[in-house]
Amino acid sequence: MLDVGKWPVFALLPPEELRLIRQACVFGSAANEALYVTVNDEVFALGTNCSGCLGLGDLQSTIEPRRIDVLCGKKTVSLSYGTGPHVVIATADGEVFAWGHNGYSQLGNGTTNHGLTPAQVSTNLLNKRVTEVACGSHHTIALTTDGEVFAWGYNNSGQVGSGSTANQPTPRRVSSCLQNKVVVNIACGQLCSMAVLDNGEEDLNINFLFLCTVQVACGYAHTLALTDEGFIYAWGANSYGQLGTGNKSNQAVPTLINTDKERMVEVAACHTSHTSAAKTQSGQVLMWGQCRGQAVACPHLTHFASTDDVFACFATPAVTWHLLTVDGDDYLTVAQSLKREFDSPDISDLKFLVDGKCIHVHKALLKIRCEHFRVLLNETDEESIEIHQFSYLVYRAFLEYLYTDTINLPPEDAIGLLDLATFYRETRLKRLCQETIKRGISEENAITLLSAAVKYEARDLEEFCFKFCVNHLTAVTQTQAFADMDHELLKAFISKASRYGAFKN
């Protein structure tokens, strides 16, 4: 069940209806319009219906949910809205639908006529699969599976990236600054657009050495960027303290936000408000900016469990900053079913003995998922196999990965799994290990992680650790790990760091 109870627009829905909601979005100038998707993939709308933004075919407001027939069964994967308001969604098939206010062609249909029902955005997108959409006040951008960005609508500030300030009536690929680039994340402010590249680049990296962005979020006129080291940078307007710098001075360049050295895993902002939020690796939620009329200039620790709660309770208007989504608990997908059966003795036909403990698995799945096991299990009929090379913690995490496609290990323990991934030639697992280890890097363990990366030929992790060491050179060189560093590795590190100018005054 998706908990939408914090949004007043859902207050009149009966409990049995609330239990069916799997996705939801609240928008509007007074947070008085909403769309939601049920477990049966039916789409409903309720609220004031400004500019026909509910997609119901008319301009009538409705306090009772009404079904949007054309969207039922489409499987929404991304949804965004502008302040016109207009609404844009991307479906699981990569199609884009838009409706609502269209005074600036933000619906992408070549006209300025408002759209009362969802219509597919087809120009230049028919042969593309769109995975994510984002709306500014009156413009729209879309990200495709190929990493291309298309934009259309209001363009008075160049927000559609066409090289002019003329409005763009239909989707047009943003090619000038993104030529031969692959984009992985997009966001819109009122009058700006942001894109993160697959190597983490963004305009940030012309100001800061080795700054690598993994997520970007836009407020009304400010931007938050999360780096792969878990730091937050902010820039733009700051009248309400929404940058989190401790003052109300605007910032023209990315500025590091002090979050007491906590590693951040998510940033949140919405182009309808001046509110900012972030979530730490340990699950704590911070908020700052305009919070129910009060200007909070420094990140404030809350009792909330998610950044969504910040916008439900403190943003003005109290709208959702992204599409709320939860998996149903009354239906299990294939992936969920497999996850549930991991290490369950009920129907398993093989067990591994590691450090005196049992791990129950299924031979067929292991053969399907791993070439090592395909060979091994074709050569033996054993129902029990002992493992001596790896620890129980590491080997269990490896087997669980084969069932879930994810790794469930703290960063400090992922080095052992990286060793296993290298040994079994599991390329994707090796990549996931590197990402997990990155999240746990600190000044104290950076050299240890660098050494492990070199040992296991994890090039991406090696480069990441090297850059971290250079960026924190003084603190890193004072650690015991640096003092104990392998001589050959030390020589290589000093040589490479010198080439990067790390020892210049």
Side-chain angles (χ1 to χ4, degrees), residues 131-154:
T131 58
E132 186 178 357
V133 290
C135 297
S137 61
H138 300 90
H139 76 285
T140 308
I141 61 176
L143 174 63
T144 73
T145 53
D146 297 324
E148 298 174 336
V149 175
F150 288 80
W152 60 95
Y154 197 33

Side-chain angles (χ1 to χ4, degrees), residues 362-371 373-375 377-378:
H362 306 79
K363 292 180 181 178
L365 185 140
L366 265 56
K367 289 181 181 180
I368 292 170
R369 295 280 288 144
C370 178
E371 183 62 30
F373 288 126
R374 183 186 295 268
V375 174
L377 298 178
N378 279 339

Side-chain angles (χ1 to χ4, degrees), residues 104-174:
Y104 301 92
S105 298
Q106 57 264 47
L107 301 188
N109 59 17
T111 77
T112 55
N113 302 322
H114 298 337
L116 299 183
T117 56
Q120 187 174 356
V121 184
S122 57
T123 303
N124 295 327
L125 293 180
L126 277 182
N127 296 319
K128 303 291 183 180
R129 289 179 62 90
V130 171
T131 58
E132 186 178 357
V133 290
C135 297
S137 61
H138 300 90
H139 76 285
T140 308
I141 61 176
L143 174 63
T144 73
T145 53
D146 297 324
E148 298 174 336
V149 175
F150 288 80
W152 60 95
Y154 197 33
N155 194 33
N156 67 326
S157 300
Q159 56 265 48
V160 302
S162 61
S164 75
T165 54
N167 294 343
Q168 179 63 38
T170 55
R172 176 186 180 277
R173 186 184 172 195
V174 181

Side-chain angles (χ1 to χ4, degrees), residues 54-307:
L54 296 186
L56 297 169
D58 56 45
L59 295 171
Q60 300 300 311
S61 63
T62 175
I63 201 168
E64 294 284 340
R66 291 172 56 190
R67 189 167 61 184
I68 310 176
D69 291 331
V70 69
L71 295 181
C72 293
K74 289 290 185 183
K75 298 190 184 303
T76 300
V77 296
S78 180
L79 183 153
S80 189
Y81 56 86
T83 52
H86 76 290
V87 180
V88 183
I89 71 164
T91 72
D93 291 331
E95 298 174 329
V96 177
F97 290 83
W99 63 97
H101 191 279
N102 195 35
Y104 301 92
S105 298
Q106 57 264 47
L107 301 188
N109 59 17
T111 77
T112 55
N113 302 322
H114 298 337
L116 299 183
T117 56
Q120 187 174 356
V121 184
S122 57
T123 303
N124 295 327
L125 293 180
L126 277 182
N127 296 319
K128 303 291 183 180
R129 289 179 62 90
V130 171
T131 58
E132 186 178 357
V133 290
C135 297
S137 61
H138 300 90
H139 76 285
T140 308
I141 61 176
L143 174 63
T144 73
T145 53
D146 297 324
E148 298 174 336
V149 175
F150 288 80
W152 60 95
Y154 197 33
N155 194 33
N156 67 326
S157 300
Q159 56 265 48
V160 302
S162 61
S164 75
T165 54
N167 294 343
Q168 179 63 38
T170 55
R172 176 186 180 277
R173 186 184 172 195
V174 181
S175 57
S176 55
C177 58
L178 299 177
Q179 192 70 41
N180 300 320
K181 305 287 187 181
V182 176
V183 175
V184 294
N185 179 226
I186 56 175
C188 287
Q190 282 275 306
L191 300 173
C192 70
S193 302
M194 296 283 169
V196 177
L197 306 185
D198 66 344
N199 58 359
E201 288 182 4
E202 199 194 352
D203 286 343
L204 290 175
N205 63 9
I206 63 174
N207 296 296
F208 292 90
L209 181 64
F210 302 140
L211 191 57
C212 188
T213 309
V214 293
Q215 188 210 342
V216 64
C218 294
Y220 185 94
H222 75 287
T223 301
L224 306 175
L226 176 67
T227 75
D228 57 357
E229 291 184 9
F231 296 122
I232 298 175
Y233 287 82
W235 64 95
N238 198 28
S239 301
Y240 300 91
Q242 60 263 47
L243 299 187
T245 55
N247 57 52
K248 296 182 181 179
S249 300
N250 297 344
Q251 295 292 334
V253 297
T255 302
L256 179 63
I257 308 306
N258 180 16
T259 52
D260 294 328
K261 294 188 176 181
E262 266 271 34
R263 175 176 291 275
M264 297 295 156
V265 295
E266 180 182 76
V267 288
C270 179
H271 74 268
T272 59
S273 70
H274 308 287
T275 305
S276 301
K279 190 172 186 177
T280 72
Q281 189 171 11
S282 62
Q284 294 181 312
V285 174
L286 306 174
M287 71 177 186
W288 62 98
Q290 189 177 30
C291 300
R292 282 204 172 181
Q294 181 177 352
V296 179
C298 292
H300 177 79
L301 183 62
T302 73
H303 65 277
F304 295 136
S306 74
T307 54

